[in-house]
């Protein structure tokens, strides 16, 4: 049985030490402890990211060590902005899962360098929609742009309206619904006021106005909803 206290202690070690044991330990219990440590490891600097990527893509990304390495990268939070350059370097990685993580983290960390590159990537999204790597890449672009909040919303709307792929459209719409950025509220208000807007987009925008609207905005929000309701019934 893996000892949680021991695993927590091992997770505080330098990543190189953990990686060496994950790859080299022959004792099953010891290897399990170090893989557990890798799951809990939180990257501390840019140099940790390439090491995690190397672990993640070994064995075609199918082993438990690979899963643990991806989990460690997932431990990067919005406060770890110093790690953004390391993820920008991975935007064109040949492994689709790595690309997904890179795009999601660039969005989470609001990387200004990554945003135009990701927007450019949307232009070829339908052309590259074959295979598992392409699927990871498409999902990464959409999720990553969603993390940018108000800066990513216009691009997600363009994607939804411009693609012929129903799966991509649904995923883009779901990502818009997951935006958690109060600064995007004016954009959603503009959508619900637009009588010519796509009804699915309008419906999502109404939900987002309710989700993101502050109490002081409530009178205006209710008026917007009244106007929308009146418009829908007239149709």
């Amino acid at each position: 049985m893996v000892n949680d206290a021991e695993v927590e202690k091992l997770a505080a070690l330098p990543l190189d030490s953990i990686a060496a044991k994950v790859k080299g330990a022959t004792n099953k219990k010891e290897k399990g402890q170090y893989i557990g440590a890798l799951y809990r490891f939180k990257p501390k600097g840019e140099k940790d990211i390439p090491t995690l990527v190397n672990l993640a893509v070994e064995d075609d990304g199918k082993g438990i060590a690979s899963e643990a390495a991806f989990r460690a990268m997932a431990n990067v939070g919005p406060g770890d902005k110093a790690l953004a350059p390391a993820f920008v370097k991975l935007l064109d990685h040949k492994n689709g899962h790595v690309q997904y993580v890179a795009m999601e983290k660039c969005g989470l960390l609001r990387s200004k360098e990554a945003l135009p590159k990701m927007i450019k990537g949307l232009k070829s999204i339908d052309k590259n929609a074959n295979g598992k790597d392409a699927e990871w890449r498409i999902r990464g672009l959409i999720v990553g742009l969603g993390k940018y909040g108000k800066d990513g919303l216009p691009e997600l709307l363009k994607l939804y309206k411009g693609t012929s792929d129903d799966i991509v459209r649904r995923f883009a719409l779901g990502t818009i619904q997951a935006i958690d950025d109060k600064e995007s509220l004016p954009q959603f208000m503009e959508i619900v006021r637009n009588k010519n807007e796509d009804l699915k987009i309008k419906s999502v925008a109404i939900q987002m106005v309710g989700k993101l609207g502050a109490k002081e905005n409530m009178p205006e929000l209710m008026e917007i909803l009244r106007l929308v309701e009146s418009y829908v019934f007239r149709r």
Side-chain angles (χ1 to χ4, degrees), residues 152-172:
L153 177 57
E155 304 306 323
L156 291 172
L157 290 170
K158 288 178 189 175
L159 174 63
Y160 174 83
K161 295 175 181 179
T163 184
S164 58
D165 189 315
D166 287 339
I167 294 176
V168 171
R169 282 167 62 87
R170 287 198 298 270
F171 195 61

Side-chain angles (χ1 to χ4, degrees), residues 9 11 15 38 42 50 58 60-61 80 82 90 92 112 115 130-131 179 209 219:
K9 183 179 178 181
L15 179 58
L38 185 58
K42 192 175 190 316
E58 285 187 357
D60 294 323
D80 299 317
L90 299 173
D92 295 318
K112 292 181 179 180
L115 183 57
N130 296 310
I179 288 176
V209 166

Side-chain angles (χ1 to χ4, degrees), residues 41-113:
F41 180 80
K42 192 175 190 316
K44 301 174 180 65
E46 280 190 61
K47 65 182 181 62
D48 285 339
I49 304 304
T51 301
L52 289 170
V53 169
N54 288 338
L55 284 170
V57 299
E58 285 187 357
D59 301 322
D60 294 323
K62 296 176 182 176
I64 190 170
S66 171
E67 182 182 331
F70 277 118
R71 176 65 250 184
M73 285 189 278
N75 292 336
V76 171
D80 299 317
K81 295 190 181 297
L83 298 180
F87 288 108
V88 173
K89 293 174 184 176
L90 299 173
L91 290 176
D92 295 318
H93 196 280
K94 64 181 181 181
N95 181 283
H97 195 171
V98 172
Q99 279 190 318
Y100 173 92
V101 172
M103 293 170 182
E104 191 271 337
K105 292 306 174 188
C106 282
L108 182 69
L109 301 172
R110 301 291 177 93
S111 167
K112 292 181 179 180
E113 182 182 357

Side-chain angles (χ1 to χ4, degrees), residues 1-13 18 21 27 29-41:
M1 182 180 292
V2 175
N3 185 307
D4 277 351
E6 182 63 22
V7 168
E8 285 289 349
K9 183 179 178 181
L10 295 176
L13 292 174
I18 298 173
K21 286 292 187 179
N27 180 282
K29 180 180 178 182
E30 182 184 28
K31 190 178 185 75
Q33 286 182 321
Y34 277 97
I35 287 176
L38 185 58
Y39 267 102
R40 302 185 190 189
F41 180 80

Side-chain angles (χ1 to χ4, degrees), residues 192-193 195 199 202 206 221-235:
V192 297
R193 288 190 182 109
K195 294 182 179 180
L199 285 179
K202 188 184 289 288
I206 291 170
L221 299 183
M222 294 303 295
E223 176 62 16
I224 291 171
L225 292 174
R226 186 189 66 77
L227 291 172
V228 171
E229 182 181 36
S230 173
Y231 165 68
V232 170
F233 278 117
R234 283 203 304 272
R235 285 173 65 94

Side-chain angles (χ1 to χ4, degrees), residues 142-201:
I142 295 173
V143 169
L145 286 168
K147 298 288 185 182
Y148 276 100
K150 69 180 182 64
D151 294 324
L153 177 57
E155 304 306 323
L156 291 172
L157 290 170
K158 288 178 189 175
L159 174 63
Y160 174 83
K161 295 175 181 179
T163 184
S164 58
D165 189 315
D166 287 339
I167 294 176
V168 171
R169 282 167 62 87
R170 287 198 298 270
F171 195 61
L173 204 60
T175 301
I176 291 170
Q177 287 178 292
I179 288 176
D180 188 15
D181 178 10
K182 287 187 179 295
E183 291 187 15
S184 65
L185 182 58
Q187 292 169 282
F188 285 117
M189 286 182 167
E190 185 177 336
I191 291 170
V192 297
R193 288 190 182 109
N194 184 353
K195 294 182 179 180
N196 298 316
E197 187 56 83
D198 175 275
L199 285 179
K200 286 186 178 179
I201 288 289

